[in-house]
Each structure stands twice: as structure tokens, then as C-alpha cells.
Amino acid sequence: ALRAGEEALCVFWKTTGTEGQWSTEGCTQVGGDTFHSVCSCNHFSTFAILMAVGEILDNFALRVVTHVGMSVSLVCLFLAIVTFLLCRSLWSVSVALHLQLSICLFA
């Protein structure tokens, strides 16, 4: 649900060369309420409804939670990788797959 001061944006993914960004060109919100949105676009592409734009994205607390969460995740993935590498007695195809997945997520 939308809170006071928030607005939903109807957007599509616009690619330019090798980069892309969300754009509102040709897309408008034609209906909806605080729980639903109806968008209309005059072209085919990858569409989305962006919410909580503006001051929410620049919130200091959100940045802190993001950095702390990412740091904790990387530490746990590193410990999982070390555990998989050091526990050779448990080595199996399943452990090898989990090791590879942990490495991919860490990267």
C-alpha cells in the first residue's frame, strides 16, 4: 500500500548500448488505488511499477542496514566456503555443488 507522499511510477527498462535504466517514456498510470496500480504503455518491453522513490532511497538507515547485511552475508559465505574446503571427510557431489554455489554468491 502507498503511504502518504509516495507515488507509484510506471516504467520500462530502456537500454542504451550496454547500459540501461528505468524510464517513464510512453508509460502512464491510468488507474488504481492505494493497493493496486494500472499502467498503460505504448510499446512492448520489460515493465515494472517502482514504489518508494525519492527520500526513501536516500535514507541513511536504509544504507546502513544494506551495508551491514551485505557484510554479514559475505562473512557467512566465506566461512561456508572455508568449511566446505576443510571438511574433506564429508566430500560428496552435494558438498561440491554447495561449494560452487557459495563461491558464485560470494563473487
Side-chain angles (χ1 to χ4, degrees):
L2 290 174
R3 296 184 188 115
E6 292 180 345
E7 99 181 69
L9 289 178
C10 300
V11 295
F12 77 100
W13 188 251
K14 180 179 182 179
T15 56
T16 307
T18 59
E19 297 187 7
Q21 64 183 9
W22 292 111
S23 174
T24 58
E25 293 174 27
C27 294
T28 56
Q29 185 174 5
V30 294
D33 55 24
T34 58
F35 295 101
H36 301 88
S37 294
V38 179
C39 295
S40 175
C41 296
N42 61 10
H43 49 78
F44 294 111
S45 184
T46 302
F47 301 99
I49 298 175
L50 298 183
M51 304 192 47
V53 294
E55 67 183 52
I56 300 293
L57 295 178
D58 294 329
N59 190 338
F60 175 74
L62 182 60
R63 285 196 311 254
V64 169
V65 168
T66 300
H67 290 292
V68 169
M70 184 65 101
S71 300
V72 169
S73 296
L74 288 175
V75 168
C76 291
L77 280 170
F78 178 76
L79 292 174
I81 292 168
V82 169
T83 302
F84 289 138
L85 289 173
L86 294 179
C87 293
R88 293 289 183 180
S89 62
L90 301 175
W91 199 253
S92 67
V93 173
S94 177
V95 171
L97 291 173
H98 281 87
L99 171 63
Q100 293 170 9
L101 175 63
S102 298
I103 292 170
C104 288
L105 290 173
F106 185 84

